[in-house]
Amino acid sequence: MSSYHSSSNSQHRDELLPLTPQRVQGYVSPTLSRYESQKRRDWNTFGQYLKNHRPPLTLSRCSGAHVLEFLRYLDQFGKTKVHSETCAYFGNSHPPGPCPCPLKQAWGSLDALIGRLRAAFEENGGTPEMNPFGARAVRLYLREVRDAQAKARVVKFNWDRS
């Protein structure tokens, strides 16, 4: 019986030990919040963009201009119709018919993306002073996109999935 009591006591002592990262891993599976998952996915996408860039870029050589290139590249996957100033539907958020204006990324999506990438850069060892996602050119670009989309009265497309 003494061995039963001693193992029970050692189990009890284990439960009283502080939770170290190693002990937590044994008890909890690492689930990321939606924000952390998006941030990780965005960071990996940007890393892939740098790798596929011609010539390939390293993060240490990345500038605000490269971030702008990336944002413009993402426009091709956008789902927001942005009417040009020459379009008959410019300023009309409910156009009566189709037009040739391009689909782009919505300003809010770009703004959130830059926020996540800015945080990821610093979490991955970058310094705030060297953060290309916080560059003045990026801030100005986001402001221009916001203002242009507000004037154009953009239309978010809901793709029919049937």
Side-chain angles (χ1 to χ4, degrees), residues 105-128:
Q105 292 289 334
W107 167 79
S109 299
L110 293 177
D111 189 50
L113 170 69
I114 290 299
R116 290 189 300 269
L117 288 172
R118 215 174 152 168
F121 178 84
E122 292 175 22
E123 287 171 11
N124 285 282
T127 62

Short mmCIF file of all heavy atoms in Angstrom, two decimals, residues 105-128:
data_model
loop_
_atom_site.label_atom_id
_atom_site.label_comp_id
_atom_site.label_asym_id
_atom_site.label_seq_id
_atom_site.Cartn_x
_atom_site.Cartn_y
_atom_site.Cartn_z
N GLN A 105 -9.29 44.58 -54.54
CA GLN A 105 -9.40 44.32 -53.10
C GLN A 105 -10.08 45.51 -52.44
O GLN A 105 -9.80 46.66 -52.78
CB GLN A 105 -8.02 44.14 -52.47
CG GLN A 105 -7.29 42.89 -52.90
CD GLN A 105 -7.92 41.63 -52.33
OE1 GLN A 105 -8.55 41.64 -51.29
NE2 GLN A 105 -7.72 40.52 -53.03
N ALA A 106 -10.95 45.24 -51.51
CA ALA A 106 -11.61 46.32 -50.76
C ALA A 106 -10.61 46.97 -49.82
O ALA A 106 -9.71 46.29 -49.28
CB ALA A 106 -12.79 45.76 -49.96
N TRP A 107 -10.78 48.28 -49.60
CA TRP A 107 -9.86 49.01 -48.74
C TRP A 107 -9.77 48.37 -47.35
O TRP A 107 -8.68 48.19 -46.81
CB TRP A 107 -10.31 50.47 -48.60
CG TRP A 107 -9.57 51.15 -47.49
CD1 TRP A 107 -8.30 51.64 -47.54
CD2 TRP A 107 -10.01 51.34 -46.15
NE1 TRP A 107 -7.93 52.13 -46.30
CE2 TRP A 107 -8.97 51.96 -45.43
CE3 TRP A 107 -11.20 51.04 -45.47
CZ2 TRP A 107 -9.07 52.29 -44.09
CZ3 TRP A 107 -11.30 51.37 -44.14
CH2 TRP A 107 -10.25 51.99 -43.46
N GLY A 108 -10.89 48.00 -46.78
CA GLY A 108 -10.89 47.43 -45.43
C GLY A 108 -10.07 46.15 -45.35
O GLY A 108 -9.38 45.89 -44.37
N SER A 109 -10.13 45.34 -46.41
CA SER A 109 -9.35 44.10 -46.46
C SER A 109 -7.86 44.40 -46.51
O SER A 109 -7.06 43.76 -45.83
CB SER A 109 -9.73 43.27 -47.68
OG SER A 109 -11.09 42.93 -47.63
N LEU A 110 -7.49 45.39 -47.33
CA LEU A 110 -6.07 45.76 -47.44
C LEU A 110 -5.55 46.35 -46.13
O LEU A 110 -4.44 46.03 -45.70
CB LEU A 110 -5.87 46.78 -48.57
CG LEU A 110 -6.12 46.27 -49.99
CD1 LEU A 110 -5.96 47.41 -50.99
CD2 LEU A 110 -5.20 45.12 -50.33
N ASP A 111 -6.36 47.18 -45.50
CA ASP A 111 -5.98 47.80 -44.24
C ASP A 111 -5.74 46.74 -43.16
O ASP A 111 -4.74 46.77 -42.44
CB ASP A 111 -7.05 48.80 -43.81
CG ASP A 111 -6.62 49.64 -42.64
OD1 ASP A 111 -5.51 50.21 -42.67
OD2 ASP A 111 -7.41 49.73 -41.66
N ALA A 112 -6.65 45.77 -43.07
CA ALA A 112 -6.51 44.70 -42.09
C ALA A 112 -5.29 43.83 -42.40
O ALA A 112 -4.54 43.45 -41.50
CB ALA A 112 -7.78 43.85 -42.06
N LEU A 113 -5.08 43.54 -43.68
CA LEU A 113 -3.93 42.75 -44.11
C LEU A 113 -2.62 43.42 -43.69
O LEU A 113 -1.73 42.78 -43.12
CB LEU A 113 -3.96 42.56 -45.63
CG LEU A 113 -2.71 41.95 -46.26
CD1 LEU A 113 -2.56 40.49 -45.87
CD2 LEU A 113 -2.76 42.10 -47.77
N ILE A 114 -2.51 44.72 -43.96
CA ILE A 114 -1.28 45.44 -43.61
C ILE A 114 -1.08 45.43 -42.10
O ILE A 114 0.04 45.26 -41.62
CB ILE A 114 -1.31 46.88 -44.17
CG1 ILE A 114 -1.17 46.85 -45.69
CG2 ILE A 114 -0.23 47.76 -43.55
CD1 ILE A 114 0.13 46.22 -46.21
N GLY A 115 -2.14 45.57 -41.34
CA GLY A 115 -2.03 45.50 -39.88
C GLY A 115 -1.49 44.16 -39.41
O GLY A 115 -0.60 44.10 -38.55
N ARG A 116 -1.99 43.08 -39.99
CA ARG A 116 -1.51 41.74 -39.61
C ARG A 116 -0.06 41.53 -40.03
O ARG A 116 0.75 40.99 -39.27
CB ARG A 116 -2.40 40.66 -40.22
CG ARG A 116 -3.79 40.60 -39.60
CD ARG A 116 -4.58 39.39 -40.07
NE ARG A 116 -4.80 39.35 -41.51
CZ ARG A 116 -5.84 39.86 -42.14
NH1 ARG A 116 -6.79 40.49 -41.46
NH2 ARG A 116 -5.96 39.74 -43.45
N LEU A 117 0.29 41.97 -41.25
CA LEU A 117 1.67 41.80 -41.73
C LEU A 117 2.64 42.66 -40.93
O LEU A 117 3.78 42.25 -40.68
CB LEU A 117 1.76 42.12 -43.22
CG LEU A 117 1.12 41.08 -44.14
CD1 LEU A 117 1.10 41.57 -45.58
CD2 LEU A 117 1.84 39.73 -44.04
N ARG A 118 2.20 43.82 -40.53
CA ARG A 118 3.04 44.70 -39.71
C ARG A 118 3.37 44.02 -38.38
O ARG A 118 4.52 44.01 -37.94
CB ARG A 118 2.26 45.98 -39.45
CG ARG A 118 3.08 47.20 -39.41
CD ARG A 118 2.21 48.41 -39.31
NE ARG A 118 3.00 49.41 -38.64
CZ ARG A 118 2.68 50.67 -38.56
NH1 ARG A 118 1.57 51.11 -39.09
NH2 ARG A 118 3.46 51.50 -37.94
N ALA A 119 2.36 43.43 -37.77
CA ALA A 119 2.56 42.71 -36.50
C ALA A 119 3.44 41.48 -36.71
O ALA A 119 4.36 41.22 -35.93
CB ALA A 119 1.21 42.31 -35.91
N ALA A 120 3.18 40.73 -37.77
CA ALA A 120 3.96 39.51 -38.05
C ALA A 120 5.42 39.84 -38.29
O ALA A 120 6.31 39.10 -37.85
CB ALA A 120 3.38 38.78 -39.26
N PHE A 121 5.70 40.94 -38.98
CA PHE A 121 7.08 41.35 -39.25
C PHE A 121 7.84 41.52 -37.94
O PHE A 121 8.95 41.00 -37.78
CB PHE A 121 7.10 42.65 -40.05
CG PHE A 121 8.48 43.18 -40.34
CD1 PHE A 121 9.18 42.70 -41.43
CD2 PHE A 121 9.07 44.14 -39.53
CE1 PHE A 121 10.46 43.18 -41.71
CE2 PHE A 121 10.35 44.62 -39.80
CZ PHE A 121 11.04 44.13 -40.90
N GLU A 122 7.24 42.20 -37.00
CA GLU A 122 7.91 42.46 -35.72
C GLU A 122 7.98 41.19 -34.86
O GLU A 122 8.97 40.98 -34.16
CB GLU A 122 7.23 43.62 -35.00
CG GLU A 122 7.47 44.92 -35.77
CD GLU A 122 6.74 46.13 -35.21
OE1 GLU A 122 6.37 46.12 -34.02
OE2 GLU A 122 6.55 47.08 -35.99
N GLU A 123 6.98 40.34 -34.96
CA GLU A 123 7.01 39.07 -34.22
C GLU A 123 8.09 38.13 -34.76
O GLU A 123 8.54 37.24 -34.06
CB GLU A 123 5.66 38.37 -34.29
CG GLU A 123 4.61 39.05 -33.44
CD GLU A 123 3.21 38.49 -33.66
OE1 GLU A 123 3.09 37.43 -34.33
OE2 GLU A 123 2.27 39.12 -33.18
N ASN A 124 8.47 38.34 -36.01
CA ASN A 124 9.50 37.51 -36.63
C ASN A 124 10.87 38.17 -36.62
O ASN A 124 11.72 37.88 -37.46
CB ASN A 124 9.07 37.13 -38.05
CG ASN A 124 8.00 36.06 -38.05
OD1 ASN A 124 8.28 34.89 -37.85
ND2 ASN A 124 6.75 36.48 -38.23
N GLY A 125 11.08 39.08 -35.68
CA GLY A 125 12.40 39.64 -35.46
C GLY A 125 12.67 40.99 -36.09
O GLY A 125 13.75 41.54 -35.91
N GLY A 126 11.74 41.52 -36.85
CA GLY A 126 11.95 42.83 -37.48
C GLY A 126 11.76 43.95 -36.47
O GLY A 126 11.02 43.81 -35.50
N THR A 127 12.42 45.05 -36.71
CA THR A 127 12.27 46.21 -35.81
C THR A 127 11.22 47.16 -36.39
O THR A 127 11.06 47.25 -37.61
CB THR A 127 13.60 46.97 -35.66
OG1 THR A 127 13.99 47.46 -36.94
CG2 THR A 127 14.70 46.08 -35.10
N PRO A 128 10.51 47.88 -35.52
CA PRO A 128 9.49 48.80 -36.01
C PRO A 128 10.04 49.83 -37.01
O PRO A 128 9.36 50.19 -37.97
CB PRO A 128 8.99 49.49 -34.74
CG PRO A 128 9.31 48.54 -33.64
CD PRO A 128 10.57 47.83 -34.07
#
